[in-house]
Amino acid sequence: MNIVVLAGGLSTERDVSFKSGDLIAKALRQNGHKVILLDVFMGYSDKEEDLTGIFERGATVSVKVGNIPTDAPDILAIKKSREDKSDNFFGPNVIRLCQMADIVFIGLHGENGEDGRIQAAFDLLGVKYTGNDYISSAIAMDKGMTKEFLRGYDVPFPGGFSVKKQERFDESSVDSPRFPCVVKPSCGGSSIGVSIVNNIMEYEYALDEAFRWENEVVVEDYIEGREFSVGVIDGVALPVIEIVPKEGFYDYKNKYKKGAADEICPADIPDETSSRMQIYAERVAAGLGIDTYARMDFILDKNNEIYCLEANTLPGMTPTSLLPQEAACIGIDYPDLCEEIIKISLRRYKRS
């Protein structure tokens, strides 16, 4: 097949997306496909040109990818660097190339990739793509909305509330936090802008930091415990993986710096606990309408109580990412995982 792997974009997870996209593109080429790795924002070539045969030379026109930096990207500088200075999120030739492909493998993370906007645009343009539809993507992207949507699905979440930037200083509109608590952007990813706070001074600083990234944040009760994740593919949960950061919590640096955290799969927990966590992950997927693949994050406290933190509809596919490790635990290697995602995604178009 002719495949475009879309990566980059304008989210805080831009650099992570490139790493995911690069590995996906290499795996799909290994599987015999003709693949172009494309930055959805920068696009390919500012000139009008004949794109005939471009998939045959896909590797030469693809984005070249380096290591993931330790800090989040400067999105404003990236916007200014595009030569055509257009406000169009899709860079030059992106739509043309996506329409020429048999399917687009979405390797984006975060805003304008994981939030359903690109999926909705592709639906209107008749472009086939991997992953979940725009509705489930949009709901899962918003942590506050996810909780509200899953109230009837018997999935435990930490207590908390949302704060809009314009309501921050309106005491009649905003609840008071219970310390310790976690403050995080409502639609953020890779733990960017996340803070664990213990008093009002830290809380105000944490709000400042979270509002740097978004206009709405989530404030949750801090649950002290062990961190886990469960991938779900085609409605079925993968083995549970435990994440053990060597320092602090599982933040941006610990997620993408090699050796910064230990990942144990299958997790060393009782079978009953593992099964319960997998059931919760499958319930989240079913409740949000996730029909392709996703990853759910959990905390297990000292009383063996499980709390779901969030759903990721485009989980990372980097060398240190969790979903590929979980799949490998049951004998699905990386190229086969990419192929399975395409197969499940194409099934949606056969039904319609």
Side-chain angles (χ1 to χ4, degrees), residues 202-222:
E202 291 179 358
Y203 177 65
E204 294 298 335
Y205 178 82
L207 288 177
D208 289 340
E209 174 63 18
F211 282 131
R212 283 180 56 209
W213 306 102
E214 289 180 27
N215 291 325
E216 183 170 350
V217 304
V218 171
V219 180
E220 290 181 339
D221 296 338
Y222 172 66

Side-chain angles (χ1 to χ4, degrees), residues 42 66 88 114 155 173 184 188 195-196 237 259 264 275 277 279 288 336-337 339:
M42 291 298 183
N88 190 341
E114 202 164 353
V155 177
S173 300
K184 54 189 176 183
S195 304
I196 299 173
I264 304 160
S275 296
M277 204 175 290
I279 289 169
L288 296 178
D336 285 344
L337 174 61
E339 204 69 33

Side-chain angles (χ1 to χ4, degrees), residues 82-328:
R82 195 164 94 178
E83 289 186 20
D84 68 358
K85 307 303 179 186
S86 170
D87 290 331
N88 190 341
F89 177 73
F90 293 102
N93 290 303
V94 169
I95 296 299
R96 288 178 64 195
L97 286 168
C98 289
Q99 290 176 322
M100 291 168 64
D102 295 304
I103 192 167
V104 174
F105 200 118
I106 300 182
L108 296 158
H109 304 311
E111 185 181 5
N112 294 320
E114 202 164 353
D115 60 6
R117 296 183 190 185
I118 280 183
Q119 291 83 351
F122 282 170
D123 285 343
L124 293 174
L125 293 167
V127 174
K128 296 177 180 177
Y129 57 89
T130 59
N132 305 289
D133 66 14
Y134 74 94
I135 296 175
S136 56
S137 299
I139 295 170
M141 185 69 182
D142 189 310
K143 297 175 182 65
M145 188 182 295
T146 296
K147 287 183 181 182
E148 292 298 319
F149 206 81
L150 292 173
R151 280 187 181 276
Y153 285 85
D154 193 25
V155 177
F157 287 91
F161 56 91
S162 297
V163 182
K164 289 183 169 60
K165 194 171 187 177
Q166 65 270 26
E167 298 173 347
R168 175 177 176 179
F169 300 107
D170 182 354
E171 294 182 3
S172 64
S173 300
V174 179
D175 293 338
S176 298
R178 295 185 300 186
F179 300 117
C181 65
V182 179
V183 177
K184 54 189 176 183
S186 186
C187 296
S190 289
S191 299
I192 293 171
V194 176
S195 304
I196 299 173
V197 302
N198 296 286
N199 55 56
I200 194 66
M201 185 177 296
E202 291 179 358
Y203 177 65
E204 294 298 335
Y205 178 82
L207 288 177
D208 289 340
E209 174 63 18
F211 282 131
R212 283 180 56 209
W213 306 102
E214 289 180 27
N215 291 325
E216 183 170 350
V217 304
V218 171
V219 180
E220 290 181 339
D221 296 338
Y222 172 66
I223 309 296
E224 185 176 3
R226 298 159 66 184
E227 299 182 58
F228 298 87
S229 195
V230 183
V232 176
I233 299 179
D234 203 15
V236 179
L238 295 172
V240 178
I241 188 168
E242 181 174 9
I243 308 101
V244 186
K246 294 181 179 176
E247 292 182 8
F249 69 102
Y250 200 43
D251 60 6
Y252 186 88
K253 292 182 180 180
N254 283 332
K255 284 182 178 180
Y256 304 114
K257 180 181 177 182
K258 189 175 182 180
D262 292 325
E263 286 108 17
I264 304 160
C265 190
D268 185 15
I269 53 178
D271 290 344
E272 182 276 333
T273 305
S274 180
S275 296
R276 194 156 38 105
M277 204 175 290
Q278 289 174 307
I279 289 169
Y280 287 146
E282 290 175 357
R283 285 180 186 171
V284 171
L288 296 178
I290 292 169
D291 59 3
T292 309
Y293 74 115
R295 198 197 73 234
M296 322 308 171
D297 297 335
F298 295 92
I299 289 284
L300 179 69
D301 73 8
K302 60 184 179 182
N303 297 317
N304 209 37
E305 295 294 330
I306 298 170
Y307 296 88
C308 182
L309 299 180
E310 63 178 317
N312 304 274
T313 56
L314 285 176
M317 297 281 280
T318 74
T320 59
S321 292
L322 306 175
L323 185 77
Q325 293 187 61
E326 294 177 63

Side-chain angles (χ1 to χ4, degrees), residues 332-343:
I332 303 174
D333 65 17
Y334 193 94
D336 285 344
L337 174 61
C338 294
E339 204 69 33
E340 182 69 10
I341 289 169
I342 289 176
K343 184 179 78 173

